Amino acid sequence: SPDYIRVGDVISYKAEASDAVIIHEVAEVGTDAEGWFARTKGYGAKKADPEKVRFTQVKGVLVALFW
């Protein structure tokens, strides 16, 4: 459910422009005329990616890291 995705979460999603699966941090969540979206950014990036990620594109959410 998109209700569980928050700013700071790490998600994997299928990019619209290609078949690539991208893993980025969620920088913003919101809704618009098309429904729920997230904006993401890479860890080294200062700005969020321009593409809005829709929930249907999300493939996974990172829930834990073990060191």
Side-chain angles (χ1 to χ4, degrees):
S1 166
D3 295 335
Y4 294 107
I5 299 175
R6 307 259 190 257
V7 170
D9 287 348
V10 176
I11 63 171
S12 62
Y13 64 94
K14 186 173 181 283
E16 283 187 350
S18 70
D19 286 335
V21 174
I22 298 171
I23 300 171
H24 275 174
E25 178 182 4
V26 176
E28 173 190 352
V29 292
T31 57
D32 62 12
E34 296 179 43
W36 182 92
F37 71 87
R39 289 204 188 267
T40 60
K41 70 180 194 89
Y43 285 112
K46 295 183 194 265
K47 293 183 181 180
D49 301 329
E51 176 184 353
K52 288 182 179 178
V53 177
R54 301 296 172 176
F55 186 70
T56 56
Q57 293 173 260
V58 176
K59 301 299 179 192
V61 180
L62 180 68
V63 294
L65 277 177
F66 295 98
W67 294 95

